Structure formats: structure tokens, C-alpha cells
Amino acid sequence: MSLKNAYLETAAKAVALLDTPEVAALWGKPSALAEWTVGGLAGHLIYQIFSVAPVLQEPESERDPISLLDHYARAVWIDAPLDGEANSGIRAQGEDISSEGVQPLRERARAALDEQRNGLAQLRGDRVVFMPQTGWALTLDDFLVTRMVELAVHIDDLTVSVGGRVAELPRTAFAPVAALLTELSARRHGQAALLRALTRVERAPAAINVF
């Protein structure tokens, strides 16, 4: 299965999560993440789907794409303080997206996903996608991996926030997400720390985080 199909399956799980009554009931309540409401977190989750829409609407970028590891090395939000400009802006965007309410957001997300099911099938995985929010470009396949990472992490965040049971990702999505997070963790903490965290609890560091 292609990364495009893996992304579409993962995005569908995010949209389905908005159908749960617990999300609607707790929309304005605090989420499991500091400074986020459930609605704001849902808005940020669904933004990951909306962010793919320009790929279908704009011509292929003429810029040289960078690698996934370089993308995360340059990301300003990694390690940024909770009240810093980057994270504050992300939260504000999520709250703005969620301000229309759960039902309209769910309908917009379904429509966007339906459009992407048709549109992405026509595009090459090595198509170059410019990301205006960062100022650099990735291949379409790499861009979709970044969306799957965001979807995977925030599906978990939102499900935990409303006391639900987290649905497992499709294996075709989990594999590239886990591979990328493993690479990023090893780059941050070193190979030995990662290996010990996975195999030697008696020597494992207290935490192995990526973001």
C-alpha cells in the first residue's frame, strides 16, 4: 500500500474520532495537554488534513526538497516553550478551527478527505511540495509522513482527553511513523540510550522523547 493510502486511512480515523459523543460533550473542557481545550486539540488534529488541500490545488514546487530528518532539525516548534510564540500560535490556530463547533468541523473534514481520496491518487510520491509555513519543500511522500506523525500523536492525545480507547493505526501508517520517530529519538539521545529503552529496562534512561 502506498503512503498516500496509509495517510488516507489514518486521516479517516481522525475524522471518525470527531463522531464520538465524548468529544462533542467535552468540546470546551481542558484536554490532556496543558493549555489545550478538547475542541482546540480537535481543531489542530483536523488541521493536519486541511494542510494537505493545497497539494491538490497548487502546481509542483520547483524548489529542491529536503529530507525528513532535516525538516525536523529545522522545525522551530521542537523544544519551544509552552508559552512561546510558536506553541501559542499553534494553539490559537487550533482554537480558531474548532470555533465553528464539532458538527461543522466534522463535515468540513469529511469533505476535505473525500476530495483528497480522488486527488492524491493522481499525484506522484516524488512530487515536490512547498510548505509555506516552514519555507522549504518536501516530497509528497515525506510530507504525508509528517501528517501521519501529527495525526497519530494527536489521535492519541484527543482520545485520552475524552477517556476513550485508542484505535491502532494501520500497519502501513505505523511503520513509517515508528521508523521516523526512532531515527529522531536516536539522533537526540544516541543509539545506546534508544536500544536500552527498548531492550534493557534496568539501564534505560528515565525518558526517551522526540518532541
Side-chain angles (χ1 to χ4, degrees), residues 46-103:
I46 298 304
Y47 166 74
Q48 310 312 319
I49 299 173
F50 294 159
S51 70
V52 177
V55 174
L56 308 181
Q57 301 162 359
E58 298 175 2
E60 181 173 6
S61 174
E62 297 182 355
R63 297 181 180 230
D64 292 330
I66 66 172
S67 71
L68 269 175
L69 292 180
D70 284 343
H71 166 73
Y72 285 100
R74 297 183 186 187
V76 298
W77 52 267
I78 294 181
D79 293 329
L82 185 64
D83 59 352
E85 182 178 353
N87 282 318
S88 295
I90 291 170
R91 288 195 300 274
Q93 180 190 56
E95 294 291 349
D96 183 61
I97 291 171
S98 71
S99 63
E100 59 191 290
V102 63
Q103 183 174 347

Side-chain angles (χ1 to χ4, degrees), residues 59-201:
E60 181 173 6
S61 174
E62 297 182 355
R63 297 181 180 230
D64 292 330
I66 66 172
S67 71
L68 269 175
L69 292 180
D70 284 343
H71 166 73
Y72 285 100
R74 297 183 186 187
V76 298
W77 52 267
I78 294 181
D79 293 329
L82 185 64
D83 59 352
E85 182 178 353
N87 282 318
S88 295
I90 291 170
R91 288 195 300 274
Q93 180 190 56
E95 294 291 349
D96 183 61
I97 291 171
S98 71
S99 63
E100 59 191 290
V102 63
Q103 183 174 347
L105 180 59
R106 184 169 57 230
E107 292 173 356
R108 284 183 59 207
R110 285 174 175 162
L113 193 53
D114 285 344
E115 182 179 9
Q116 290 169 23
R117 286 191 180 99
N118 295 322
L120 286 174
Q122 313 303 318
L123 303 180
R124 308 181 327 271
D126 63 353
R127 179 184 179 89
V128 181
V129 175
F130 177 66
M131 302 173 65
Q133 67 270 37
T134 65
W136 56 80
L138 297 171
T139 66
L140 174 59
D141 278 349
D142 282 350
F143 175 63
L144 293 178
V145 172
T146 70
R147 299 308 87 186
M148 286 191 284
V149 169
E150 292 286 335
L151 288 166
V153 170
H154 295 307
I155 285 172
D156 182 60
D157 289 334
L158 184 57
T159 305
V160 169
S161 296
V162 300
R165 180 178 179 182
V166 179
E168 291 194 348
L169 298 176
R171 183 161 184 79
T172 50
F174 180 74
V177 167
L180 174 60
L181 293 177
T182 298
E183 287 282 353
L184 293 174
S185 183
R187 185 174 67 180
R188 169 172 285 198
H189 301 284
Q191 291 183 0
L194 178 60
L195 287 170
R196 290 168 185 169
L198 294 173
T199 64
R200 293 292 181 263
V201 65

